[in-house]
Amino acid sequence: MNATALLIGLGPLLGWGLYPTIASKIGGRPVNQILGSTIGTLIFAFVFALVNGLSFPTGMDLVFSILSGVGWAIAQIITFKSFTLIGSSRAMPITTAFQLLGASLWGVLALGNWPGTTAKLLGGLALILIIIGAWMTVWTEEKNKENSSLLKSAVILLAVGEIGYWAYSAAPQATNIDGMHAFFPQAIGMVIVAVVYSAILTSKDSEPSAFKEAVSYKHIFSGFFFAFAALTYLISAQPNMNGLATGFILSQTSVVLATLTGIWFLGQKKTKKEMTVTIIGLLLILAAAAMTVML
């Protein structure tokens, strides 16, 4: 792996690492967060395509790119809902583990990433370490029925949401479109889901219209962070860069920044022992990501 590929592969560390914390800090309901975030992503993607003179995809390239964005938006709505249950610092490691299993195994089994027995064994060990590390970040010293129930509900939600994240990563790989050309139609798919979701909730008398709430448009700012991470990930996942399996694992090191900023800036407190276990878990995730770089 060359230095350029590694640098691009770590782009999501910053974007996706800060995105959940910024979104949680701005506040609002999940519908506000998804509406503003997707609008921000669409603006970013449109400007990027315009500046680089990228042609608009057609045919199945367009279809799969839009479906990819639809998958992400549905999954992200579910993830935002999990934030309301257990906080972003606990939810992010869980969704990271699910996403790593889904996307990385798809890359290995369907796309031929990690060729050779040694690479597959090391890659499998890396996945195990990341899952163990993610579990350690959500470990709690004091157990009670309410917290256990909320955690169980969040885990179920995030497991379902993984289907959408898997589609987000895998759909563009079903065609020959590269990440830069897929980016703008993906953003269109994201906005379609956000608008439909907002309209459905608006039709309910008990729900205020997200289109009329200022907090929705404040989330455009958080969308820029997601867009930067998404673009660098899409480029990183290409076969001539890091490949889907390694590119995805590198992108998921963002869980380190997302977890720590959630604890430090959102008041998602941990005891001294919980913090120690969390730090060890995060170090395991980083070590496992480093292993994949050598494959």
Side-chain angles (χ1 to χ4, degrees):
M1 180 184 298
N2 59 48
T4 300
L6 178 59
L7 185 62
I8 293 174
L10 290 175
L13 171 64
L14 180 63
W16 281 337
L18 293 176
Y19 170 62
T21 299
I22 292 172
S24 297
K25 191 70 174 179
I26 292 173
R29 296 170 292 147
V31 64
N32 303 121
Q33 295 169 323
I34 197 65
L35 182 61
S37 293
T38 55
I39 292 174
T41 300
L42 183 65
I43 294 171
F44 189 104
F46 175 74
V47 172
F48 178 81
L50 191 65
V51 169
N52 289 277
L54 300 177
S55 59
F56 194 72
T58 59
M60 296 310 294
D61 285 349
L62 175 61
V63 171
F64 278 102
S65 296
I66 290 177
L67 287 176
S68 172
V70 168
W72 176 85
I74 293 173
Q76 192 60 39
I77 291 170
I78 293 172
T79 300
F80 280 142
K81 287 185 176 294
S82 76
F83 288 178
T84 65
L85 296 176
I86 58 176
S88 63
S89 66
R90 295 186 188 278
M92 287 305 297
I94 298 172
T95 190
T96 294
F98 283 134
Q99 288 181 61
L100 283 166
L101 281 173
S104 297
L105 290 177
W106 172 259
V108 172
L109 298 177
L111 303 177
N113 295 153
W114 298 350
T117 303
T118 300
K120 285 182 172 61
L121 287 174
L122 290 175
L125 177 60
L127 286 177
I128 292 172
L129 289 177
I130 288 175
I131 292 170
I132 293 173
W135 174 81
M136 292 176 73
T137 64
V138 298
W139 178 81
T140 55
E141 190 171 3
E142 183 178 346
K143 303 292 190 299
N144 60 65
K145 289 185 178 180
E146 182 180 1
N147 287 339
S148 297
S149 177
L150 290 175
L151 181 59
K152 182 179 179 180
S153 297
V155 169
I156 293 173
L157 279 175
L158 293 169
V160 172
E162 162 53 24
I163 298 173
Y165 284 133
W166 170 80
Y168 169 65
S169 295
Q173 303 292 329
T175 67
N176 293 321
I177 190 170
D178 63 84
M180 291 192 294
H181 284 85
F183 189 34
F184 184 44
Q186 275 185 325
I188 293 174
M190 295 173 186
V191 171
I192 289 173
V193 171
V195 169
V196 170
Y197 180 58
S198 301
I200 291 173
L201 290 187
T202 299
S203 67
K204 298 180 179 179
D205 294 337
S206 59
E207 292 283 354
S209 173
F211 298 109
K212 297 180 180 179
E213 294 180 294
V215 68
S216 295
Y217 302 100
K218 292 180 181 179
H219 278 284
I220 290 175
F221 177 69
S222 67
F224 292 153
F225 281 83
F226 168 80
F228 170 76
L231 177 61
T232 52
Y233 164 63
L234 287 170
I235 297 172
S236 171
Q238 295 303 306
N240 63 337
M241 293 295 289
N242 297 311
L244 180 61
T246 298
F248 193 82
I249 289 183
L250 285 174
S251 75
Q252 293 306 295
T253 57
S254 59
V255 70
V256 177
L257 191 57
T259 301
L260 294 179
T261 54
I263 294 169
W264 293 334
F265 299 119
L266 299 178
Q268 298 170 7
K269 302 298 184 183
K270 288 179 178 283
T271 65
K272 185 176 180 180
K273 190 173 183 179
E274 288 171 350
M275 193 64 188
T276 299
V277 174
T278 294
I279 294 295
I280 294 173
L282 294 176
L283 290 175
L284 279 179
I285 293 173
L286 287 176
M291 285 176 58
T292 68
V293 173
M294 298 182 291
L295 298 181

